[in-house]
Amino acid sequence: MSPSELAFNKNEDTNKILLSDYVKLAKKIHLGGGEKSAAKQKAQGKLLARERIDYLKDNDADFLEIGTFVGYEMYPEYGGCPAGGVVGGITKVAGRQCLIVANDATVKAGAWFPITAKKNLRFQEIALENNLPIIYLVDSAGVFLPMQDEIFPDKEHFGRIFRNNAILSSRGIPQIAAVMGSCVAGGAYLPIMSDEALIVDKTGSIFLAGSYLVKAAIGENIDNETLGGSVSQTDLSGVIDDRFPNDEACLDRIKFLMDKVGSFEKAGFSRTEAFKPKLKEKQLYGHLPAERSKTYNTLEIIHRLVDNSEFEQYKEKYGKTILCGYARIDGWAVGIVANNRELVKSEKGEMQFGGVIYSDSADKAARFIMNCNQKKVPLLFLQDVTGFMVGSRSEHGGIIKDGAKLVSAMSNSTVPKFTVIMGNSYGAGNYAMCGKAYDPRLIVAWPSAKIAVMGGEQAAKVLLQIEKASLAKNGEVITEEKEQELLSKIIDRYNKQTTPEYAASRLWVDEIIDPLDTRKWISAGIEMANNAPVAKYNVGVIQT
């Protein structure tokens, strides 16, 4: 076996093991609050959150779950919050693409943690950007009181959700809510601010204050069912539109309603007949290096993601550390901006490091982004970037100006942007290649991703220099042994913070995906983005 074949096999094994680890972790997270909590819910005749989604979605439709790893290893003092206590994603109901958001009542009775609010706001953001109908399956005890100060009053907190309910309705984006369990206090506004509100008999209830609080506040003795059960809130108050005998009947009504939803004006993105890549998609695992510092040919990755493995490059011989070009994914036209991880020669004959953004590559990418906006072509960013080139030559050559040009063009882009973090995503490179702060319609990571301000070893050395300088001011000297100990500790801590699960737990990325599912995610993303017409392009300030 040749060295190249050995390297390929090693890469393939490493990437498949990484993926397997995340699949196992996802299965563990899918258990929610555990078997005991699930059994308690089933005993009440209720479906679990993922069972409700599975029943509701079309049989032949994928469910692209967003935020599986949200809350991972967060809130250990409260026993954790798997998936943020809410399950949601993109799918189709009655043939209509939509978002489904379902509280997981097995996790702290569906109570809202700070990360739960962030996750729900992300779902609403996706709905607003793409005119995507949203279905809420409500089963929640409301705000998690021990953390109320971190979830209640601020702009990005719980109340923002109801503000978004109002904005969604004002824009004509359908919202359907089903009260399938407890719905208390401020959380009661979510279903009632939706366009349609349904409730399940006996298990569903909705009120601003439960019976205990009513007793404490005004001295009235009343049980929860009489106070805000299905009969009270449909026949007496008229707050809820209709009640149903069980979860399945309620979900059937949602299917009926979704079947009547009309379509929005389309953006008009180009789509033709879809073709699979000619090159084997499964070879993605072998072409992506096991070690993040290794160089590789990014074109080998692109050719296994695009239809017919056809990728037409833009300015192929110029700015070679970024690859730009046109392709199709599942029939949709896309403009691809990808970090080239090969060691290349510039047009001046100088060697350039793969994965680093130089002035010429920044200039090329900025101009390509502008062209895609002129042609109304959605943008796909494939990230494996270590940052912008540093040093006197780059600084004197105006790297900051050229980097700003790229960031400006990308920020002002009005065609939808999608980001896949394949490998490194460091520092300003993350920004320039459309990181989370730059509003990609969807941003996903492969298991091989690393996200941080810089690599762990480089960051540790910088932090070590700062620590040594601080100690030197006080007349102290670090021994070689102590230096290595400190360096190792910093690297370990920093590396943990660069993992995909660390990023996904905080919603820096929407999901960790199998590289083989990339085409599916991009296709679904462009399909939903096609519901929202593109605004007139205004590039903003671009210095030449």
Side-chain angles (χ1 to χ4, degrees):
M1 189 177 290
S2 68
S4 61
E5 289 174 319
L6 283 170
F8 185 94
N9 290 342
K10 180 186 176 183
N11 294 341
E12 187 175 44
D13 290 344
T14 300
N15 286 310
K16 284 185 175 180
I17 289 169
L18 271 176
L19 176 62
S20 175
D21 289 342
Y22 284 108
V23 170
K24 290 175 185 175
L25 180 56
K27 286 181 179 178
K28 182 180 177 182
I29 290 169
H30 285 181
L31 296 174
E35 294 179 1
K36 189 175 179 180
S37 294
K40 185 178 178 181
Q41 186 164 331
K42 299 288 279 187
Q44 298 175 52
K46 295 161 68 175
L47 298 173
L48 302 178
R50 284 184 173 81
E51 290 176 340
R52 288 168 174 166
I53 292 171
D54 192 57
Y55 184 92
L56 182 57
K57 77 175 187 65
D58 294 347
N59 291 332
D60 60 347
D62 291 314
F63 174 61
L64 301 182
E65 184 168 349
I66 291 171
T68 300
F69 302 91
V70 162
Y72 176 66
E73 292 189 335
M74 295 175 72
Y75 317 117
E77 67 274 33
Y78 299 116
C81 185
V86 64
V87 183
I90 303 164
T91 188
K92 288 188 177 180
V93 175
R96 186 72 158 80
Q97 194 181 37
C98 63
L99 280 164
I100 303 178
V101 181
N103 295 112
D104 185 352
T106 70
V107 180
K108 299 290 189 297
W112 290 62
F113 283 70
I115 199 66
T116 315
K118 185 175 182 179
K119 185 172 178 178
N120 277 269
L121 289 171
R122 175 60 179 146
F123 289 132
Q124 291 183 320
E125 180 183 44
I126 291 170
L128 281 165
E129 286 180 329
N130 302 286
N131 290 341
L132 207 59
I134 186 166
I135 299 168
Y136 307 101
L137 307 180
V138 187
D139 195 344
S140 170
V143 168
F144 186 63
L145 288 177
M147 302 190 75
Q148 66 86 24
D149 62 320
E150 297 181 45
I151 188 174
F152 170 64
D154 210 345
K155 182 178 178 180
E156 304 300 329
H157 286 178
F158 193 53
R160 187 77 172 182
I161 290 163
F162 316 130
R163 174 264 187 193
N164 287 349
N165 283 138
I167 299 298
L168 283 157
S169 285
S170 73
R171 295 185 185 177
I173 301 170
Q175 297 175 91
I176 301 172
V179 179
M180 312 187 81
S182 180
C183 190
V184 186
Y189 284 104
L190 185 146
I192 307 311
M193 293 190 73
S194 297
D195 306 302
E196 309 262 358
L198 317 173
I199 193 169
V200 178
D201 193 30
K202 304 302 184 220
T203 57
S205 60
I206 178 169
F207 33 65
L208 290 181
S211 57
Y212 292 136
L213 183 54
V214 167
K215 172 67 175 175
I218 63 172
E220 181 183 1
N221 287 304
I222 190 169
D223 64 86
N224 282 338
E225 186 63 26
T226 305
L227 179 67
S230 63
V231 174
S232 297
Q233 297 291 29
T234 52
D235 296 7
L236 296 180
S237 70
V239 165
I240 299 288
D241 301 331
D242 290 292
R243 66 177 184 270
F244 301 87
N246 52 47
D247 282 10
E248 290 86 351
C250 186
L251 295 170
D252 284 338
R253 173 58 66 89
I254 294 175
K255 294 179 186 180
F256 174 85
L257 293 171
M258 283 297 295
D259 181 56
K260 310 302 179 292
V261 174
S263 61
F264 284 84
E265 178 188 350
K266 300 301 180 186
F269 302 129
S270 171
R271 192 179 197 186
T272 58
E273 183 182 356
F275 293 95
K276 293 266 188 189
K278 284 183 179 178
L279 300 180
K280 292 181 180 178
E281 293 174 72
K282 289 184 178 180
Q283 291 177 346
L284 282 170
Y285 302 124
H287 283 288
L288 193 70
E291 298 173 45
R292 297 275 26 92
S293 59
K294 295 284 187 183
T295 60
Y296 62 94
N297 185 355
T298 307
L299 286 172
E300 296 288 0
I301 302 293
I302 294 173
H303 287 149
R304 286 163 177 80
L305 293 176
V306 300
D307 289 12
N308 274 331
S309 299
E310 293 175 351
F311 175 61
E312 185 68 27
Q313 284 202 58
Y314 169 80
K315 294 193 175 186
E316 181 179 351
K317 303 299 182 182
Y318 175 73
K320 296 178 185 177
T321 64
I322 288 184
L323 301 171
C324 298
Y326 300 101
R328 290 189 181 272
I329 291 181
D330 197 32
W332 294 103
V334 293
I336 295 176
V337 181
N339 301 112
N340 185 11
R341 285 306 307 270
E342 284 192 304
L343 187 66
V344 299
K345 277 188 178 181
S346 72
E347 70 278 10
K348 297 177 182 178
E350 301 163 344
M351 294 306 298
Q352 295 182 336
F353 297 101
V356 178
I357 302 175
Y358 290 78
S359 287
D360 54 356
S361 49
D363 173 70
K364 178 173 82 171
R367 294 179 185 278
F368 179 71
I369 289 167
M370 289 187 275
N371 284 348
C372 286
N373 274 265
Q374 293 282 27
K375 297 181 179 73
K376 208 192 298 187
V377 177
L379 286 159
L380 171 59
F381 292 84
L382 300 177
Q383 281 198 19
D384 195 345
V385 57
T386 53
F388 284 85
M389 190 59 192
V390 297
S392 60
R393 178 178 292 180
S394 293
E395 296 293 357
H396 299 164
I399 186 67
I400 296 175
K401 181 187 70 174
D402 290 317
K405 186 191 302 182
L406 171 55
V407 171
S408 181
M410 184 269 301
S411 300
N412 284 293
S413 173
T414 59
V415 294
K417 299 171 294 202
F418 302 90
T419 303
V420 178
I421 302 177
M422 307 186 301
N424 300 322
S425 180
Y426 292 155
N430 169 283
Y431 298 163
M433 293 294 293
C434 197
K436 182 65 184 289
Y438 293 85
D439 298 325
R441 299 293 177 97
L442 292 172
I443 177 170
V444 296
W446 289 358
S448 47
K450 294 286 183 185
I451 305 167
V453 72
M454 64 180 74
E457 192 170 340
Q458 296 96 313
K461 287 177 179 177
V462 171
L463 291 169
L464 183 63
Q465 288 175 34
I466 294 170
E467 181 71 17
K468 286 171 69 176
S470 177
L471 291 171
K473 283 182 180 179
N474 298 322
E476 298 180 49
V477 179
I478 298 180
T479 64
E480 190 174 330
E481 184 180 351
K482 181 68 176 176
E483 183 175 317
Q484 282 303 121
E485 181 186 337
L486 186 58
L487 186 64
S488 178
K489 188 182 292 187
I490 294 171
I491 289 173
D492 289 344
R493 184 181 72 244
Y494 202 88
N495 283 344
K496 184 178 181 181
Q497 294 174 355
T498 68
T499 61
E501 66 268 26
Y502 191 90
S505 70
R506 289 152 179 81
L507 261 180
W508 300 346
V509 296
D510 291 319
E511 192 66 12
I512 303 169
I513 69 167
D514 182 343
L516 296 182
D517 288 336
T518 304
R519 284 170 52 83
K520 185 194 303 183
W521 275 81
I522 300 305
S523 177
I526 299 176
E527 182 180 353
M528 72 179 187
N530 201 37
N531 288 315
V534 175
K536 185 177 180 181
Y537 182 57
N538 180 8
V539 74
V541 178
I542 291 284
Q543 293 185 0
T544 56

